[in-house]
Amino acid sequence: MNIENSGDSENIDNLDITEPALLIRISRAYDANMTEQELYDITRSSWKVNYDRVQNVEYAFSIYQGQILEVYKVAGWYGAGTTFAERNEDALASGRFEFVGTIAEDNVRDKYINKSVKHLFKPGNASPVMYLNC
């Protein structure tokens, strides 16, 4: 996966995510040479989220350095470690969840891929996840 760094302020100021979504910052696990499958696996697992609230999430956004790398259509949420995936076993713990899904439809991806969401994360916000519209 390769990210493009666009200096276009339109990417920041006019981005309006309208779908029920979970933004997931993958900064520590991201590697520019990872495969699409590896990106999916690090994005989907294993997060401390409110299980009831994530039931309303339709899309999960993979975020690196404030930029949207990929958008996934969420099919369901499960206890961490209960679905097949390559993962870091140390990350699996009680109270964590993972989703299964597919790459979102093109019309959704086209709206968001390579756009910035830096403006949504306030300085000092260390949480790797953010709920939008849910």
Side-chain angles (χ1 to χ4, degrees):
M1 300 297 317
N2 202 357
I3 64 172
E4 298 173 20
N5 192 358
S6 172
D8 186 353
S9 64
E10 184 177 321
N11 283 352
I12 296 172
D13 298 334
N14 295 331
L15 182 64
D16 184 24
I17 297 173
T18 56
E19 297 82 4
L22 186 67
L23 306 185
I24 302 172
R25 295 192 284 187
I26 59 164
S27 300
R28 293 184 193 161
Y30 180 73
D31 180 330
N33 297 315
M34 65 184 14
T35 66
E36 287 182 18
Q37 183 65 46
E38 289 168 330
L39 179 63
Y40 170 67
D41 282 337
I42 65 165
T43 302
R44 72 183 205 83
S45 181
S46 142
W47 304 104
K48 285 189 177 185
V49 294
N50 178 310
Y51 183 76
D52 292 331
R53 192 168 183 189
V54 294
Q55 299 309 307
N56 299 315
V57 169
E58 291 181 23
Y59 296 94
F61 288 63
S62 185
I63 311 295
Y64 178 69
Q65 294 184 344
Q67 188 170 343
I68 300 168
L69 299 182
E70 190 56 86
V71 182
Y72 302 98
K73 176 83 171 163
V74 175
W77 286 88
Y78 303 91
T82 61
T83 66
F84 177 77
E86 295 293 324
R87 62 174 62 90
N88 177 353
E89 294 300 324
D90 294 338
L92 305 181
S94 176
R96 291 182 178 264
F97 297 92
E98 61 194 22
F99 71 87
V100 294
T102 59
I103 290 177
E105 343 39 291
D106 287 343
N107 64 321
V108 173
R109 293 178 76 235
D110 291 345
K111 287 193 320 189
Y112 301 120
I113 299 289
N114 294 324
K115 300 287 173 72
S116 175
V117 290
K118 285 181 183 179
H119 63 289
L120 296 175
F121 293 94
K122 292 182 171 58
N125 178 350
S127 176
V129 299
M130 176 185 287
Y131 301 89
L132 293 176
N133 308 313
C134 54

